[in-house]
Amino acid sequence: MARTDNALIVAAVDGTEPSLRALDWAAREARLLGRKLRVVHAFDWPLHYRVPRGLPGFDIDEFARRVVHEAVDRVREREPEVEAEALHIVGTVGPTLLQQSENAHLIVAGSRGLSGLRAVVLGSVGVQLAALAECPAVIVPDRDPGAETGRVVVGVDGSPSALAATDRAFVEAEARRATLRAVAVAGSASHGVFAALETPEGPGSPEREAAVAEARRRLSESLAGQRERHPGVYVEEEVLPGHPAEVLIDESEYADLVVVGSRGRGGFTGMLLGSVSQTLLSHSHCPVMVVHAAKS
């Protein structure tokens, strides 16, 4: 869907600690980008369609109002420059948040809490947002944020969604005045850079050299135009061996944000979210932004 220049950032909250971590990240992002923040609580109480609304001791609307208003108060306290609004909706969580993404600049959620399954690192709602949101989706891991590194990492493989991710990564690095570390993985040349099923033969082998050369070519082509549009962003280019998901997870330990496309060059064409993105979302040390290629 087309978005206007004043499109806002949406933060999904449910009162849990993971969602508050995501809210803090979204509020800072809103300040950095000079955008309005919408705090959204979608409440899907089990069996609420069959249980009387007058159940003693619990009121759905009052609970929802408290969640969003406390969240907005938190934003105003921590990021007073950010204009924030509250919205609570009783309905199925995933579809409600996907609808909120239609005209948004960005939608942000925690990696746990929204699914209600505390043992699952990335719940079904997080997967839905990453795979189906109409705007880029950021999933914030449920861990204490470390000191800022001043580095944004982007995974590059030349695919349409990775090119869109590269575009967005430059914007993010520029807003943070951060270094942009562009990473390509030298996997099996026959499968494409981000579709490696196994690592090529050892250093110096023809297979390895071909894979590295192909990765460098895609990396250079992906960055060329963006460098001209964002001359103030310092870029590090890196071609690394290994499996793409493992490489990006390692990179996330020393980054403030990792930006990836929703689906790389390999895998099944019909997949909305590739295996690399799914694995990274579940194991990243820092927030992950998933970007889809523009719809033709």
Side-chain angles (χ1 to χ4, degrees):
M1 302 254 327
R3 283 174 287 276
T4 61
D5 288 340
N6 62 350
L8 46 71
I9 292 172
V10 174
V13 297
D14 63 3
T16 62
E17 190 62 29
S19 80
L20 293 179
R21 294 186 198 279
L23 174 67
D24 292 343
W25 190 94
R28 181 174 183 272
E29 181 80 354
R31 173 174 57 80
L32 288 173
L33 300 181
R35 292 184 180 271
K36 186 175 180 179
L37 178 67
R38 175 178 292 164
V39 179
V40 177
H41 174 61
F43 183 67
D44 187 20
W45 191 34
L47 306 179
H48 81 266
Y49 291 108
R50 285 178 283 172
V51 177
R53 292 176 63 86
L55 185 68
F58 187 83
D59 182 272
I60 294 176
D61 294 326
E62 178 58 32
F63 175 82
R65 277 194 296 269
R66 178 167 55 83
V67 168
V68 293
H69 289 152
E70 289 180 356
V72 168
D73 288 343
R74 182 183 178 103
V75 171
R76 289 171 178 163
E77 178 182 347
R78 299 188 175 209
E79 300 289 353
E81 300 173 26
V82 174
E83 182 182 355
E85 65 180 34
L87 177 66
H88 63 279
I89 304 171
V90 177
T92 306
V93 179
T96 298
L97 294 177
L98 289 174
Q99 186 177 40
Q100 288 295 311
S101 76
E102 290 180 358
N103 295 299
H105 179 76
L106 190 68
I107 189 164
V108 184
S111 61
R112 293 196 298 179
L114 290 170
S115 69
L117 301 175
R118 307 296 290 184
V120 178
V121 175
L122 181 64
S124 61
V125 173
V127 173
Q128 287 181 64
L129 290 178
L132 299 171
E134 295 286 346
C135 65
V138 174
I139 305 300
V140 179
D142 183 22
R143 61 178 74 211
D144 291 328
E148 292 185 4
T149 65
R151 180 183 293 128
V152 173
V153 172
V154 60
V156 179
D157 69 354
S159 66
S161 63
L163 291 174
T166 302
D167 186 4
R168 196 60 177 257
F170 268 90
V171 172
E172 294 294 331
E174 190 169 58
R176 289 168 169 75
R177 298 182 179 178
T179 294
L180 178 60
R181 183 170 168 83
V183 177
V185 176
S188 176
S190 64
H191 293 296
V193 179
F194 258 147
L197 300 181
E198 58 184 20
T199 303
E201 298 299 326
S205 69
E207 293 84 359
R208 168 71 70 186
E209 294 302 321
V212 170
E214 176 67 4
R216 290 195 185 282
R217 181 185 70 80
R218 294 188 189 280
L219 185 58
S220 179
E221 290 179 353
S222 298
L223 298 176
Q226 296 296 337
R227 286 181 184 275
E228 297 175 1
R229 286 189 283 274
H230 303 275
V233 176
Y234 178 74
V235 181
E236 295 177 352
E237 298 184 38
E238 192 74 60
V239 174
L240 298 171
H243 188 280
E246 293 177 357
V247 168
L248 290 175
I249 290 167
D250 289 343
E251 290 287 327
S252 74
E253 191 169 0
Y254 308 100
D256 297 324
L257 176 68
V258 175
V259 187
V260 292
S262 57
R263 189 176 61 82
R265 299 180 61 83
F268 299 99
T269 303
M271 291 179 65
L272 294 172
L273 188 64
S275 60
V276 171
S277 299
Q278 290 191 52
T279 303
L280 177 62
L281 286 169
S282 295
H283 299 286
S284 177
H285 298 273
C286 72
V288 177
M289 178 184 291
V290 179
V291 183
H292 292 262
K295 295 181 180 179
S296 54

